[in-house]
Amino acid sequence: NPGKSGDDLYQAAFENLISRFDYYLKRRHAEGQTSKGLIIADPRSTAFSAALRSAVLKYHAVGTQWATLENLVESVLFLASHESPGLQVADLCSYAVWRLVEHSDDSLGKSLRHCFDREPATSHLKPGHWHGVRYYGSDPAVRARLHTLWNAV
């Protein structure tokens, strides 16, 4: 994201993630599969983890820049990834995307793309659109690799 780095970029990505997760839960509710969600993240520094907790409280009170949160319980919980199989899967998905972007290696991405959220074919918004990866760079080759992987299904 231009102009952001380090903790600012992480916080912006976190806001996007929490919004997408709540939207996913809203969509499941509309499909008759009501669920509530909980965000578990790998801790960074104590101060930054506290800042994320404060941000989540704010998002619960006034919403994110995209929407109000309706299906997330609690604040964000922090747990080291080696203690959580769910965080290990998230790390593996991130690694697969990194391999695709940095090394043109889509082998792991092909195996894991089903772990990412996708709009149903019946969606009035963007039928079949994949969520979970946002590329802020300008390299057309990387954009093409991401597009090819996500549209091969």
Side-chain angles (χ1 to χ4, degrees), residues 2-94:
K4 292 190 178 190
S5 63
D7 289 348
D8 290 336
L9 186 58
Y10 189 97
Q11 190 150 0
F14 183 79
E15 182 179 9
N16 189 323
L17 174 74
I18 200 169
S19 296
R20 288 291 330 147
F21 184 45
D22 191 66
Y23 175 74
Y24 167 78
L25 294 169
K26 287 175 187 174
R27 195 176 72 225
R28 287 187 51 90
H29 175 74
E31 295 167 350
Q33 300 173 356
T34 300
S35 299
K36 296 295 181 184
L38 182 65
I39 301 285
I40 301 173
D42 233 336
R44 291 170 66 90
S45 69
T46 302
F48 189 72
S49 295
L52 281 184
R53 279 193 191 98
S54 294
V56 172
L57 291 174
K58 180 185 105 177
Y59 300 151
H60 276 290
V62 299
T64 67
Q65 63 180 307
W66 298 282
T68 58
L69 300 179
E70 299 172 9
N71 296 291
L72 297 176
V73 297
E74 299 273 340
S75 180
V76 58
L77 302 178
F78 293 96
L79 189 63
S81 61
H82 71 274
E83 297 173 343
S84 170
L87 286 177
Q88 290 175 6
V89 169
D91 287 345
L92 185 62
C93 289
S94 295

